[in-house]
Amino acid sequence: MLEIRVWDEINKKMIQVDAINYWNESIENEDTQQIPFTDVIIMRKSSYKDKNGNFIYEGDKLKLLDKNKEEIIIVCSYGKWKRRMDSGEVVEIEGFCFLLENTPTFPIIKNYIKKHDTEIMEIIGNIYEK
């Protein structure tokens, strides 16, 4: 089941979604108010969790330290990405990745401290909430 959270562009806040109405192209919030798709941003939940055990959603900003202990800020995104494989072949991948200065990067299973990248990532906010 696809799990989402929703940013209300009009009121500038995250809202609880109780139902999605594809016929009316709207979502229904906890107040049973119908909000058109054009007034919201729907963000998917990834299967990744940060180092604190929180699920990572599209639009989340995360920080981690690289092997030189430099802080890196990345953003979780969903889409279709082209990636060059070790064989040299370029393939298109659809799914979650992390954007570093608008360049897609993919989680490394065993990084420089022998952990999965998400084990050292921490959610610090999202691109919508200031």
Side-chain angles (χ1 to χ4, degrees), residues 3 6 8 11 17 19-20 31 36-37 39 45 52 54 56 58 64 66 73 81 88-89 92 99 103 108 113 120 129:
E3 291 187 43
V6 174
D8 180 337
N11 297 304
V17 176
I20 299 176
D31 301 325
F37 285 168
D39 292 347
K45 180 173 93 173
N52 299 315
N54 299 311
I56 301 170
E58 281 183 272
L64 67 152
D66 68 11
I73 305 297
W81 317 99
E89 178 183 11
E92 187 172 81
L99 299 177
T103 301
I108 297 171
I113 55 174
I120 62 171
E129 292 177 309

Side-chain angles (χ1 to χ4, degrees), residues 79-85 89-94 97 103-106:
K80 290 185 178 181
W81 317 99
K82 292 190 186 294
R83 185 171 187 189
R84 183 171 305 281
M85 305 307 285
E89 178 183 11
V90 176
V91 296
E92 187 172 81
I93 300 169
E94 182 173 352
C97 76
T103 301
T105 62
F106 298 87

